[in-house]
Amino acid sequence: MQHDAHAHHDHSAHGGHHENHGAHHEEHGAHHAPGEASWSMAAKATLHCLTGCAIGEVLGMIIGTALGWGNMETMILAIILAFFFGYALTLRGILAAGVDFKTAFKVALAADTLSIAVMEIIDNGVIALWPGAMDAHLSDPVFWIVLAIALAAAFVITVPVNKWMIGRGKGHAVVHQYHH
């Protein structure tokens, strides 16, 4: 564009207050052992990644436009910021659970890298291949329409990826063990 959730949860770590997790199950859905990931869990994990990606994409495009950068430089910045904000949202939740930064950072990388990468490939691929999208300005409705379509396509294609990862105890299944 021209720019002029959840897997198995170990309740034994909670010091015997297993009975207090009814509300936790209601809020996050039933917990599953690896291999039993639901589409709902995968959609929630993907929506989480999509939020960070969308923030990064739009901010990158705004910054690239303000600085008068070309398409490639702006797209690279948008991708970098999509990863940054995707990881930041995950880090925020893990750090809030009292996990040290180094551990939280490793968990965020393990949980989100594949999901964000797939999302960015699809999202930017749609934008790059859509006729006229790369030349649309931020004030042009086609910019926002194609961005919305690109993000929707990225969501739809990434949900099965997240379902697969959660079903194997990876991705957001890892993040969930830190949410209390």
Side-chain angles (χ1 to χ4, degrees), residues 96-118:
V99 177
D100 66 280
F101 183 81
K102 183 177 178 182
T103 301
F105 186 73
K106 288 179 182 179
V107 169
L109 288 176
D112 289 341
T113 300
L114 181 60
S115 180
I116 296 171
V118 169

PDB file of all heavy atoms in Angstrom, residues 96-118:
ATOM      1  N   ALA A  96       1.338 -10.806  34.235  1.00  0.00           N
ATOM      2  CA  ALA A  96       0.313 -10.528  35.248  1.00  0.00           C
ATOM      3  C   ALA A  96       0.116 -11.726  36.176  1.00  0.00           C
ATOM      4  O   ALA A  96      -0.332 -11.568  37.308  1.00  0.00           O
ATOM      5  CB  ALA A  96      -1.005 -10.155  34.578  1.00  0.00           C
ATOM      6  N   ALA A  97       0.462 -12.918  35.693  1.00  0.00           N
ATOM      7  CA  ALA A  97       0.350 -14.127  36.515  1.00  0.00           C
ATOM      8  C   ALA A  97       1.554 -14.297  37.442  1.00  0.00           C
ATOM      9  O   ALA A  97       1.635 -15.270  38.181  1.00  0.00           O
ATOM     10  CB  ALA A  97       0.205 -15.354  35.617  1.00  0.00           C
ATOM     11  N   GLY A  98       2.504 -13.346  37.394  1.00  0.00           N
ATOM     12  CA  GLY A  98       3.645 -13.383  38.292  1.00  0.00           C
ATOM     13  C   GLY A  98       4.853 -14.130  37.765  1.00  0.00           C
ATOM     14  O   GLY A  98       5.785 -14.412  38.508  1.00  0.00           O
ATOM     15  N   VAL A  99       4.856 -14.419  36.471  1.00  0.00           N
ATOM     16  CA  VAL A  99       5.973 -15.128  35.862  1.00  0.00           C
ATOM     17  C   VAL A  99       7.095 -14.129  35.562  1.00  0.00           C
ATOM     18  O   VAL A  99       6.831 -12.995  35.171  1.00  0.00           O
ATOM     19  CB  VAL A  99       5.511 -15.832  34.562  1.00  0.00           C
ATOM     20  CG1 VAL A  99       6.663 -16.512  33.854  1.00  0.00           C
ATOM     21  CG2 VAL A  99       4.399 -16.827  34.876  1.00  0.00           C
ATOM     22  N   ASP A 100       8.345 -14.551  35.747  1.00  0.00           N
ATOM     23  CA  ASP A 100       9.469 -13.661  35.455  1.00  0.00           C
ATOM     24  C   ASP A 100       9.535 -13.368  33.951  1.00  0.00           C
ATOM     25  O   ASP A 100       9.039 -14.142  33.132  1.00  0.00           O
ATOM     26  CB  ASP A 100      10.793 -14.269  35.948  1.00  0.00           C
ATOM     27  CG  ASP A 100      11.177 -15.516  35.189  1.00  0.00           C
ATOM     28  OD1 ASP A 100      10.621 -16.589  35.499  1.00  0.00           O
ATOM     29  OD2 ASP A 100      12.011 -15.417  34.266  1.00  0.00           O
ATOM     30  N   PHE A 101      10.159 -12.234  33.596  1.00  0.00           N
ATOM     31  CA  PHE A 101      10.169 -11.779  32.205  1.00  0.00           C
ATOM     32  C   PHE A 101      10.817 -12.789  31.260  1.00  0.00           C
ATOM     33  O   PHE A 101      10.296 -13.045  30.175  1.00  0.00           O
ATOM     34  CB  PHE A 101      10.872 -10.420  32.066  1.00  0.00           C
ATOM     35  CG  PHE A 101      10.830  -9.902  30.661  1.00  0.00           C
ATOM     36  CD1 PHE A 101       9.706  -9.256  30.188  1.00  0.00           C
ATOM     37  CD2 PHE A 101      11.901 -10.099  29.786  1.00  0.00           C
ATOM     38  CE1 PHE A 101       9.634  -8.795  28.868  1.00  0.00           C
ATOM     39  CE2 PHE A 101      11.848  -9.648  28.474  1.00  0.00           C
ATOM     40  CZ  PHE A 101      10.707  -8.992  28.023  1.00  0.00           C
ATOM     41  N   LYS A 102      11.950 -13.366  31.654  1.00  0.00           N
ATOM     42  CA  LYS A 102      12.657 -14.296  30.766  1.00  0.00           C
ATOM     43  C   LYS A 102      11.763 -15.496  30.427  1.00  0.00           C
ATOM     44  O   LYS A 102      11.652 -15.881  29.261  1.00  0.00           O
ATOM     45  CB  LYS A 102      13.958 -14.763  31.422  1.00  0.00           C
ATOM     46  CG  LYS A 102      14.800 -15.669  30.547  1.00  0.00           C
ATOM     47  CD  LYS A 102      16.104 -16.043  31.236  1.00  0.00           C
ATOM     48  CE  LYS A 102      16.908 -16.994  30.372  1.00  0.00           C
ATOM     49  NZ  LYS A 102      18.153 -17.404  31.018  1.00  0.00           N
ATOM     50  N   THR A 103      11.120 -16.068  31.416  1.00  0.00           N
ATOM     51  CA  THR A 103      10.223 -17.204  31.191  1.00  0.00           C
ATOM     52  C   THR A 103       9.024 -16.772  30.355  1.00  0.00           C
ATOM     53  O   THR A 103       8.636 -17.457  29.409  1.00  0.00           O
ATOM     54  CB  THR A 103       9.749 -17.801  32.530  1.00  0.00           C
ATOM     55  OG1 THR A 103      10.900 -18.222  33.273  1.00  0.00           O
ATOM     56  CG2 THR A 103       8.815 -18.973  32.317  1.00  0.00           C
ATOM     57  N   ALA A 104       8.451 -15.627  30.709  1.00  0.00           N
ATOM     58  CA  ALA A 104       7.281 -15.113  29.986  1.00  0.00           C
ATOM     59  C   ALA A 104       7.624 -14.871  28.515  1.00  0.00           C
ATOM     60  O   ALA A 104       6.829 -15.187  27.623  1.00  0.00           O
ATOM     61  CB  ALA A 104       6.779 -13.829  30.638  1.00  0.00           C
ATOM     62  N   PHE A 105       8.800 -14.327  28.256  1.00  0.00           N
ATOM     63  CA  PHE A 105       9.222 -14.052  26.881  1.00  0.00           C
ATOM     64  C   PHE A 105       9.358 -15.359  26.091  1.00  0.00           C
ATOM     65  O   PHE A 105       8.904 -15.451  24.949  1.00  0.00           O
ATOM     66  CB  PHE A 105      10.540 -13.266  26.881  1.00  0.00           C
ATOM     67  CG  PHE A 105      10.967 -12.819  25.517  1.00  0.00           C
ATOM     68  CD1 PHE A 105      10.299 -11.786  24.869  1.00  0.00           C
ATOM     69  CD2 PHE A 105      12.036 -13.429  24.872  1.00  0.00           C
ATOM     70  CE1 PHE A 105      10.684 -11.375  23.602  1.00  0.00           C
ATOM     71  CE2 PHE A 105      12.429 -13.025  23.607  1.00  0.00           C
ATOM     72  CZ  PHE A 105      11.753 -11.993  22.969  1.00  0.00           C
ATOM     73  N   LYS A 106       9.969 -16.373  26.697  1.00  0.00           N
ATOM     74  CA  LYS A 106      10.107 -17.670  26.034  1.00  0.00           C
ATOM     75  C   LYS A 106       8.746 -18.286  25.732  1.00  0.00           C
ATOM     76  O   LYS A 106       8.532 -18.852  24.663  1.00  0.00           O
ATOM     77  CB  LYS A 106      10.933 -18.626  26.897  1.00  0.00           C
ATOM     78  CG  LYS A 106      12.405 -18.295  26.943  1.00  0.00           C
ATOM     79  CD  LYS A 106      13.147 -19.267  27.846  1.00  0.00           C
ATOM     80  CE  LYS A 106      14.609 -18.933  27.956  1.00  0.00           C
ATOM     81  NZ  LYS A 106      15.330 -19.865  28.840  1.00  0.00           N
ATOM     82  N   VAL A 107       7.827 -18.179  26.667  1.00  0.00           N
ATOM     83  CA  VAL A 107       6.473 -18.723  26.474  1.00  0.00           C
ATOM     84  C   VAL A 107       5.773 -17.982  25.345  1.00  0.00           C
ATOM     85  O   VAL A 107       5.143 -18.592  24.481  1.00  0.00           O
ATOM     86  CB  VAL A 107       5.655 -18.645  27.784  1.00  0.00           C
ATOM     87  CG1 VAL A 107       4.184 -18.944  27.534  1.00  0.00           C
ATOM     88  CG2 VAL A 107       6.233 -19.607  28.819  1.00  0.00           C
ATOM     89  N   ALA A 108       5.900 -16.653  25.319  1.00  0.00           N
ATOM     90  CA  ALA A 108       5.260 -15.858  24.260  1.00  0.00           C
ATOM     91  C   ALA A 108       5.820 -16.240  22.887  1.00  0.00           C
ATOM     92  O   ALA A 108       5.056 -16.390  21.925  1.00  0.00           O
ATOM     93  CB  ALA A 108       5.451 -14.365  24.525  1.00  0.00           C
ATOM     94  N   LEU A 109       7.120 -16.395  22.801  1.00  0.00           N
ATOM     95  CA  LEU A 109       7.724 -16.802  21.525  1.00  0.00           C
ATOM     96  C   LEU A 109       7.207 -18.176  21.089  1.00  0.00           C
ATOM     97  O   LEU A 109       6.834 -18.362  19.929  1.00  0.00           O
ATOM     98  CB  LEU A 109       9.255 -16.846  21.630  1.00  0.00           C
ATOM     99  CG  LEU A 109       9.982 -15.515  21.704  1.00  0.00           C
ATOM    100  CD1 LEU A 109      11.485 -15.739  21.896  1.00  0.00           C
ATOM    101  CD2 LEU A 109       9.734 -14.667  20.482  1.00  0.00           C
ATOM    102  N   ALA A 110       7.177 -19.116  22.017  1.00  0.00           N
ATOM    103  CA  ALA A 110       6.725 -20.465  21.698  1.00  0.00           C
ATOM    104  C   ALA A 110       5.240 -20.478  21.335  1.00  0.00           C
ATOM    105  O   ALA A 110       4.813 -21.207  20.447  1.00  0.00           O
ATOM    106  CB  ALA A 110       6.988 -21.396  22.880  1.00  0.00           C
ATOM    107  N   ALA A 111       4.462 -19.665  22.020  1.00  0.00           N
ATOM    108  CA  ALA A 111       3.014 -19.679  21.830  1.00  0.00           C
ATOM    109  C   ALA A 111       2.567 -18.992  20.553  1.00  0.00           C
ATOM    110  O   ALA A 111       1.624 -19.442  19.896  1.00  0.00           O
ATOM    111  CB  ALA A 111       2.332 -19.023  23.027  1.00  0.00           C
ATOM    112  N   ASP A 112       3.221 -17.908  20.190  1.00  0.00           N
ATOM    113  CA  ASP A 112       2.682 -17.047  19.143  1.00  0.00           C
ATOM    114  C   ASP A 112       3.429 -17.020  17.821  1.00  0.00           C
ATOM    115  O   ASP A 112       2.881 -16.552  16.826  1.00  0.00           O
ATOM    116  CB  ASP A 112       2.590 -15.606  19.663  1.00  0.00           C
ATOM    117  CG  ASP A 112       1.509 -15.423  20.697  1.00  0.00           C
ATOM    118  OD1 ASP A 112       0.595 -16.272  20.763  1.00  0.00           O
ATOM    119  OD2 ASP A 112       1.567 -14.439  21.447  1.00  0.00           O
ATOM    120  N   THR A 113       4.650 -17.475  17.764  1.00  0.00           N
ATOM    121  CA  THR A 113       5.449 -17.295  16.552  1.00  0.00           C
ATOM    122  C   THR A 113       4.802 -17.904  15.312  1.00  0.00           C
ATOM    123  O   THR A 113       4.636 -17.211  14.297  1.00  0.00           O
ATOM    124  CB  THR A 113       6.878 -17.831  16.748  1.00  0.00           C
ATOM    125  OG1 THR A 113       7.485 -17.111  17.836  1.00  0.00           O
ATOM    126  CG2 THR A 113       7.708 -17.647  15.496  1.00  0.00           C
ATOM    127  N   LEU A 114       4.403 -19.161  15.360  1.00  0.00           N
ATOM    128  CA  LEU A 114       3.808 -19.785  14.181  1.00  0.00           C
ATOM    129  C   LEU A 114       2.481 -19.122  13.809  1.00  0.00           C
ATOM    130  O   LEU A 114       2.225 -18.830  12.636  1.00  0.00           O
ATOM    131  CB  LEU A 114       3.612 -21.288  14.391  1.00  0.00           C
ATOM    132  CG  LEU A 114       3.024 -22.040  13.193  1.00  0.00           C
ATOM    133  CD1 LEU A 114       3.917 -21.907  11.955  1.00  0.00           C
ATOM    134  CD2 LEU A 114       2.802 -23.501  13.543  1.00  0.00           C
ATOM    135  N   SER A 115       1.666 -18.850  14.807  1.00  0.00           N
ATOM    136  CA  SER A 115       0.366 -18.226  14.563  1.00  0.00           C
ATOM    137  C   SER A 115       0.518 -16.850  13.903  1.00  0.00           C
ATOM    138  O   SER A 115      -0.133 -16.553  12.899  1.00  0.00           O
ATOM    139  CB  SER A 115      -0.393 -18.084  15.888  1.00  0.00           C
ATOM    140  OG  SER A 115      -1.644 -17.492  15.690  1.00  0.00           O
ATOM    141  N   ILE A 116       1.393 -16.025  14.448  1.00  0.00           N
ATOM    142  CA  ILE A 116       1.602 -14.692  13.873  1.00  0.00           C
ATOM    143  C   ILE A 116       2.225 -14.804  12.490  1.00  0.00           C
ATOM    144  O   ILE A 116       1.838 -14.069  11.574  1.00  0.00           O
ATOM    145  CB  ILE A 116       2.468 -13.812  14.803  1.00  0.00           C
ATOM    146  CG1 ILE A 116       1.742 -13.545  16.130  1.00  0.00           C
ATOM    147  CG2 ILE A 116       2.813 -12.479  14.119  1.00  0.00           C
ATOM    148  CD1 ILE A 116       2.614 -12.872  17.192  1.00  0.00           C
ATOM    149  N   ALA A 117       3.173 -15.712  12.312  1.00  0.00           N
ATOM    150  CA  ALA A 117       3.824 -15.860  11.007  1.00  0.00           C
ATOM    151  C   ALA A 117       2.813 -16.239   9.926  1.00  0.00           C
ATOM    152  O   ALA A 117       2.796 -15.633   8.840  1.00  0.00           O
ATOM    153  CB  ALA A 117       4.942 -16.898  11.086  1.00  0.00           C
ATOM    154  N   VAL A 118       1.956 -17.213  10.213  1.00  0.00           N
ATOM    155  CA  VAL A 118       0.937 -17.608   9.242  1.00  0.00           C
ATOM    156  C   VAL A 118       0.009 -16.433   8.960  1.00  0.00           C
ATOM    157  O   VAL A 118      -0.306 -16.125   7.808  1.00  0.00           O
ATOM    158  CB  VAL A 118       0.135 -18.835   9.748  1.00  0.00           C
ATOM    159  CG1 VAL A 118      -1.091 -19.100   8.877  1.00  0.00           C
ATOM    160  CG2 VAL A 118       1.030 -20.066   9.798  1.00  0.00           C
TER     161      VAL A 118
END
